Amino acid sequence: MAADPEDLRWMEVAIEEARVGRDEGGVPIGAVLVADGRVLGAGHNRRVQAGSAIRHGETDALERAGRLPAAVYARATMYTTLSPCDMCTGAILLYKIPRVVMGENRTFLSPGEELLRARGVEVVNLDLPEPRALMDGFIARRPDVWNEDIGEE
């Protein structure tokens, strides 16, 4: 099945955020929260850059969106270049975001995907080559930082 053009449009914004993160020396994961045809917040993994324990792409996008009414989250889509980890899955569930579109899940397949589906969230995997190439390159260069990012040794 062909990808929805709107999904590809917003995923390109998330991929650009991932490139920014890479260029800053961080983990190349980007995310964008979209509702009503507009970006509410775009972000990228900033754990390295900010010395943060929680600034993944999705949480950074939520932070940049600021406080929003529950009704806005209820009609939003989270676009993320990678399968959402457990922490980001929790944030998506907390704010009742009904749809998640990811760039790929080959480099990291989170158990959060099944939890999202079980809780009624629509999960779409575009399986795009660029997010995968960004992650493959990063993991090859910085396996220590990648393992830290996902809570591994």
Side-chain angles (χ1 to χ4, degrees):
M1 180 160 87
D4 180 296
E6 280 297 293
D7 286 344
L8 293 173
R9 172 186 177 199
W10 299 120
M11 183 56 65
E12 184 53 41
V13 177
I15 291 170
E16 180 54 33
E17 284 288 332
R19 290 184 202 117
V20 170
R22 174 202 60 200
D23 294 348
E24 292 174 351
V27 182
I29 301 170
V32 60
L33 184 66
V34 174
D36 305 323
R38 68 182 184 94
V39 172
L40 304 174
H44 53 273
N45 187 303
R46 295 176 191 268
R47 290 188 73 245
V48 171
Q49 301 91 311
S52 171
I54 61 168
R55 288 305 272 275
H56 281 189
E58 299 91 334
T59 57
D60 192 47
L62 286 166
E63 178 69 18
R64 289 168 160 244
R67 293 176 60 196
L68 299 170
V72 175
Y73 293 115
R75 62 181 184 267
T77 297
M78 177 65 78
Y79 291 87
T80 177
T81 57
L82 189 63
S83 181
C85 74
D86 289 340
M87 177 177 65
C88 295
T89 293
I92 290 162
L93 292 172
L94 175 69
Y95 291 108
K96 297 178 178 65
I97 297 167
R99 187 166 186 262
V100 174
V101 178
M102 68 184 114
E104 64 102 1
N105 67 359
R106 293 185 195 203
T107 56
F108 177 71
L109 175 59
S110 169
E113 283 186 41
E114 286 308 313
L115 179 57
L116 289 167
R117 286 185 187 97
R119 297 278 296 273
V121 175
E122 179 186 0
V123 178
V124 177
N125 180 10
L126 298 176
D127 196 27
L128 298 173
E130 186 171 4
R132 188 169 55 251
L134 286 166
M135 286 307 301
D136 283 343
F138 180 79
I139 292 167
R141 285 188 314 279
R142 297 299 313 269
D144 57 324
V145 175
W146 171 240
N147 286 332
E148 174 191 321
D149 199 69
I150 59 171
E152 300 288 329
E153 287 295 325

